[in-house]
Every structure is written in structure tokens, then in C-alpha cells.
């Protein structure tokens, strides 16, 4: 492309060349704590009984539902508490994604069998009209559709499942008729993160070639927010941090599919704004889950505990924030071949996801990093199966997809980790 784009207030040419991640194929992690973390994560999620994971879906569909309740954020939809309502931030779709990527990355037949089995049993609970949620009144329907859409795309892309594409078409027909599009005019705050949907729908379009997914993706563009970033304005301030980095994945996929330079300007400017103004030295961001004005506000957040927050020393939403940043940086590496975008990936690898406490017990998840000057320690989130239990295995699986890139000229080493890669070149 040679079209001029505006980045950081300056005009320069849009990306000329591309390098490509290995898409979970041919990369093997060597002996290291990162490989140990990956193996523990893989073993942890494979050990969760399928009947437990599927119980709520089966109950809603009126099918026999053996197994135990998952509890926490995964179930308990009628309790009326935002942190214990099933479907509040439903992680089932993200676990499908993680297991599919693990199976592809390592040739793991057990992971493959588990994810295909979960999908097949979940599909039996889809209602005749295409309704697919865990409960009859999901709290965040856009968010959940997005995650399950992504899981099905991953199963299709990485495991070659045509059944996944059939189920995706079914739930998308329901979504096109029933998801409230008026929220796309309101921005944040809403009770559902609608502005992350486009990324996985564009990915569905790339996998299938079906314009239905492309057109539906365009319905969820976060136009006002993206346009402000494209123009060089720091539109991040005051917004929910993780989800507003996550929506940059949607802007990146809009650029990948349409080629419109403004979408590249959106993500490039956003990266530099975050890097220059919104990061701790650890790579973490979003104290109390919000972007702060660049006037010392981040510093004040580590000086004084916020007594009104569920976790008062919530300096950074660690695993969710890592996953969103990994994606953004990978898109920018892919579009440009520019190594500068790897810096954030590296410091998050060592200081965020790689330094996280391992998943343990029945849904105990490391959620927030604490950078408080008065002293901090690591601990688990007080409620089970939060949203970070969904992004945790995805970020760890992504270790296989951030070490190397390739193009027609050869191999690029992105991170110096104990690892090896095998591929056919010419």
C-alpha cells in the first residue's frame, strides 16, 4: 500500500510489507518456566470435567445435566450479583479458543478431543431459533457472542472443523436478528462490550469468504473512538483499559480486510499513546481498570489505595491486559515488520502473564497486579472463574505465536526464548 495515513499527528506512508506469525504451527518451546507454565495451564483445563463445563447449557436446554456447578462468574445466574451471575463474562468460548490453539501448537490429541467434544455437546443445547447462551437472560450478550464466535473460528481455522462453521452460522443468524445494535451508538459505559465483536467476525469472513460476517462486523465498528485515535487524539483517557485495547484488535482486522489506512492509523497511534503515556515500567496499564490522564495520575494510583474498588490495589488487569496487548502488537508486527512493536510484548511476557500465579483450585485466578508503593503481594481474585480465567490460557497458548515471524525472505526472531521452529521455505 502507498496511501498516506496520519499517525501521531504526522503523515507517512501506510505499511509496505508484511511478516507473518506461524499461527501455532512448527514452533516448540524449550525448557523454561514459560514451557512449564504452558504445560500446567494445559493440564489444568484438560482436567475440568466436561459435564461441569456443560451443565448450565444443558439445564437451560432441558437436557440431562450431570456434573457439578462451576460457581463464581461461570454460574449462579439468578443470584443478582454482578460478580456471580453466570454469563456476566462467560469464558466458555475463550476456553474453546485456548484448547484449539493448544491442540494446533503442539499436536495435542487430548486437547483436540476435548475441544471437539465440548463443541459437539454444547451444540446439542442450541435452541431451534439459534439461541446458544448459558442462561435465558445473559447479562452481556454481545461479549459472550464475540467469545463463542472466536472459539468456533479457532476450531475451524486450527483444527479444520466444518461443524464449527455450521454452528457459527447458526448462532450468527440468531445474533443478526437479536443483538441490540443501538448500543453501538452509545460507547462506554454500557453493560456489554459490543465494540470488540468485529475482530472475530472479520476473522470468520477470512476463514469462510462469507460476506455475511464481513457486513455484520462493520455494524460493530467503534467509529467515534477509532476516528479520534486515527486523528492523533488520546481518546483512551477515562475508558475501561482492557476492553479499549481489545477493540483495537477489531480496528486491526478492519484494516486487514478493507485496507483502509485510517484503521492502521487508529492502531498505530493507539500503540504510541499507550507506550508514551499509559504504561507502568512492567508493561501493565489501567489502574482500577481505567486509562488515566497523562498528568501524574498513574503515579497517584500507586500511592493511595482506592477503598471503593473490589480489589483496592488493582494496578493492572494482568492476564486480560496481556492478551489484548499481545494481539495488538502481533497485528502491528504483521502489518509492518517493525521490531519496535515487540517491546511491549516482551515486557508483558516477563512482568505480567509470565509472572502470574498459576491457575489453581476450582477457578482460582490471578487477576490484578499490584504496584502499590506501600507494599504489595500477589494473590488470587476473591471470586471464582472471572474473565481473566478466560484470557489466561489464551495468552499462555500464544507463547507459541509470538516468538518467530516469517516472510518470503526468511525468518524473524521476535523473542529470544528457549525454542525452535521448523518450516518449509521455498
Amino acid at each position: 500500500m502507498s496511501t498516506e495515513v496520519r499517525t501521531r499527528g504526522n503523515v507517512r506512508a501506510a505499511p509496505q510489507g508484511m511478516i507473518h506469525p506461524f499461527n501455532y504451527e512448527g514452533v516448540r518451546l524449550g525448557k523454561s518456566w514459560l514451557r512449564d507454565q504452558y504445560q500446567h495451564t494445559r493440564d489444568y483445563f484438560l482436567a475440568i470435567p466436561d459435564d461441569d463445563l456443560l451443565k448450565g447449557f444443558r439445564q437451560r436446554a432441558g437436557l440431562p445435566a450431570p456434573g457439578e456447578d462451576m460457581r463464581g462468574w461461570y454460574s449462579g445466574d439468578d443470584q443478582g450479583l454482578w460478580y456471580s451471575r453466570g454469563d456476566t463474562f462467560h469464558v466458555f468460548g475463550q476456553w474453546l479458543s485456548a484448547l484449539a490453539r493448544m491442540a494446533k501448537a503442539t499436536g495435542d490429541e487430548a486437547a483436540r478431543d476435548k475441544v471437539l467434544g465440548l463443541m459437539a455437546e454444547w451444540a446439542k443445547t442450541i435452541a431451534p431459533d439459534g439461541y446458544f447462551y448459558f442462561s435465558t437472560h445473559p447479562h452481556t450478550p454481545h461479549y459472550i457472542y464475540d467469545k463463542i464466535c472466536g472459539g468456533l473460528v479457532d476450531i475451524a481455522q486450527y483444527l479444520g472443523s466444518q461443524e464449527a462453521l455450521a454452528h457459527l452460522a447458526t448462532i450468527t443468524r440468531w445474533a443478526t436478528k437479536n443483538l441490540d445494535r443501538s448500543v453501538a451508538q452509545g460507547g462506554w459505559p454500557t453493560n456489554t462490550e459490543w465494540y470488540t465483536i468485529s475482530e472475530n467476525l472479520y476473522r470468520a469472513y477470512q476463514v469462510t469468504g462469507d460476506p455475511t460476517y464481513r457486513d455484520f462486523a462493520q455494524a460493530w465498528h467503534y467509529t467515534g473512538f477509532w476516528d479520534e485515535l486515527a486523528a492523533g487524539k488520546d481518546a483512551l483517557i477515562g475508558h475501561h483499559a482492557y476492553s479499549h485495547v481489545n477493540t483495537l484488535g477489531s480496528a486491526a482486522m478492519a484494516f486487514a480486510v478493507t485496507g483502509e489506512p485510517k484503521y492502521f492509523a487508529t492502531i498505530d497511534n493507539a500503540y504510541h499513546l499507550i507506550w508514551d503515556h499509559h504504561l507502568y515500567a512492567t508493561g501493565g496499564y489501567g489502574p482500577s481498570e481505567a486509562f488515566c490522564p497523562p498528568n501524574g495520575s498513574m503515579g497517584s494510583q500507586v500511592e493511595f489505595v482506592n477503598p471503593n474498588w473490589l480489589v483496592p490495589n488493582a494496578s493492572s488487569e494482568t492476564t486480560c491486559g496481556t492478551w489484548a496487548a499481545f494481539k495488538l502488537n502481533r497485528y502491528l508486527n504483521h502489518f509492518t515488520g517493525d521490531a519496535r512493536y515487540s517491546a511491549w510484548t516482551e515486557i508483558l511476557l516477563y512482568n505480567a502473564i509470565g509472572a502470574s500465579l498459576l491457575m489453581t483450585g476450582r477457578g482460582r485466578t490471578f487477576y490484578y497486579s499490584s504496584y502499590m508503593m506501600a507494599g504489595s503481594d500477589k494473590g488470587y481474585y476473591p471470586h471464582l472463574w472471572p474473565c481473566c480465567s478466560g484470557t489466561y490460557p489464551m495468552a499462555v497458548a500464544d507463547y507459541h505465536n509470538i516468538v518467530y515471524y516469517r516472510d518470503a525472505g526468511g525468518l524473524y526472531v521476535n523473542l529470544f526464548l528457549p525454542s525452535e521452529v521448523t518450516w518449509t521455505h521455498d
Side-chain angles (χ1 to χ4, degrees):
M1 300 176 186
S2 60
T3 308
E4 296 285 292
V5 298
R6 183 169 298 277
T7 60
R8 306 189 73 192
N10 299 311
V11 174
R12 72 172 179 82
Q16 298 295 316
M18 291 187 180
I19 61 175
H20 303 274
F22 276 76
N23 281 331
Y24 307 94
E25 185 170 20
V27 177
R28 290 169 296 284
L29 300 177
K31 185 177 181 180
S32 66
W33 96 97
L34 293 170
R35 187 178 71 178
D36 293 344
Q37 183 189 25
Y38 169 81
Q39 188 65 40
H40 177 276
T41 304
R42 177 263 184 204
D43 294 346
Y44 179 89
F45 281 95
L46 257 68
I48 303 173
D50 291 3
D51 284 341
D52 295 2
L53 293 167
L54 294 162
K55 184 173 183 178
F57 292 107
R58 288 168 167 166
Q59 287 176 328
R60 189 262 303 153
L63 299 174
E68 298 181 11
D69 288 327
M70 297 285 285
R71 298 185 295 116
W73 283 25
Y74 196 89
S75 57
D77 194 39
D78 296 320
Q79 295 181 30
L81 300 174
W82 70 267
Y83 54 77
S84 64
R85 293 180 63 179
D87 273 11
T88 298
F89 292 103
H90 202 300
V91 289
F92 181 77
Q94 292 171 309
W95 293 345
L96 295 181
S97 286
L99 289 167
R101 293 172 188 228
M102 289 176 177
K104 178 66 173 179
T106 63
D108 191 330
E109 289 298 322
R112 179 186 179 92
D113 291 346
K114 186 174 184 71
V115 72
L116 291 177
L118 283 170
M119 179 187 69
E121 291 300 310
W122 163 79
K124 294 176 183 178
T125 72
I126 300 175
D129 67 351
Y131 187 90
F132 58 93
Y133 291 94
F134 184 88
S135 76
T136 56
H137 47 286
H139 185 55
T140 53
H142 300 74
Y143 182 104
I144 301 159
Y145 167 73
D146 173 33
K147 305 316 175 195
I148 293 184
C149 173
L152 294 174
V153 170
D154 284 347
I155 294 171
Q157 180 176 1
Y158 298 126
L159 303 183
S161 170
Q162 293 300 308
E163 290 82 1
L165 295 181
H167 303 324
L168 178 61
T170 297
I171 69 170
T172 299
R173 283 193 294 272
W174 183 92
T176 56
K177 295 177 181 178
N178 293 281
L179 285 185
D180 179 9
R181 303 190 193 194
S182 68
V183 297
Q185 310 305 317
W188 180 270
T190 69
N191 71 339
T192 184
E193 294 172 18
W194 57 267
Y195 42 84
T196 64
I197 295 178
S198 298
E199 180 178 15
N200 283 316
L201 284 169
Y202 276 128
R203 293 180 60 235
Y205 169 67
Q206 286 186 328
V207 169
T208 66
D210 185 344
T212 300
Y213 298 112
R214 179 199 61 203
D215 296 345
F216 199 35
Q218 292 171 349
W220 305 106
H221 281 195
Y222 201 175
T223 303
F225 179 70
W226 295 355
D227 285 353
E228 287 186 343
L229 289 171
K233 180 179 178 181
D234 191 344
L236 299 159
I237 298 170
H239 285 305
H240 183 249
Y242 156 59
S243 65
H244 280 74
V245 176
N246 210 20
T247 190
L248 299 174
S250 289
M253 282 305 303
F255 176 66
V257 170
T258 70
E260 293 189 26
K262 67 177 182 179
Y263 298 126
F264 177 78
T266 295
I267 61 173
D268 186 55
N269 283 346
Y271 176 92
H272 289 292
L273 286 164
I274 294 167
W275 181 263
D276 291 344
H277 301 296
H278 296 292
L279 291 189
Y280 291 108
T282 61
Y285 59 98
S288 297
E289 298 195 19
F291 281 114
C292 299
N295 59 0
S297 297
M298 288 186 71
S300 68
Q301 292 291 324
V302 301
E303 294 176 357
F304 305 106
V305 172
N306 181 352
N308 297 319
W309 198 243
L310 181 64
V311 179
N313 55 353
S315 301
S316 178
E317 197 175 3
T318 306
T319 60
C320 286
T322 297
W323 171 240
F326 273 8
K327 288 191 300 170
L328 172 62
N329 302 338
R330 183 160 22 85
Y331 283 126
L332 286 164
N333 283 140
H334 166 57
F335 294 145
T336 69
D338 191 332
R340 82 181 78 180
Y341 301 112
S342 301
W344 193 12
T345 297
E346 185 173 42
I347 60 175
L348 283 171
L349 178 68
Y350 286 104
N351 297 305
I353 185 63
S356 297
L357 297 177
L358 299 175
M359 295 282 300
T360 191
R362 181 77 166 175
R364 299 198 70 203
T365 307
F366 182 70
Y367 194 134
Y368 293 113
S369 293
S370 171
Y371 307 137
M372 306 305 292
M373 294 175 62
S376 300
D377 58 15
K378 289 186 178 180
Y380 290 98
Y381 193 71
H383 303 290
L384 304 180
W385 305 118
C387 55
C388 280
S389 71
T391 49
Y392 186 99
M394 296 184 74
V396 171
D398 214 40
Y399 293 170
H400 295 87
N401 209 32
I402 57 177
V403 183
Y404 301 103
Y405 289 84
R406 60 184 170 182
D407 67 5
L411 180 71
Y412 297 79
V413 180
N414 189 47
L415 296 170
F416 290 95
L417 303 177
S419 59
E420 60 183 32
V421 61
T422 304
W423 86 107
T424 300
H425 179 67
D426 290 339

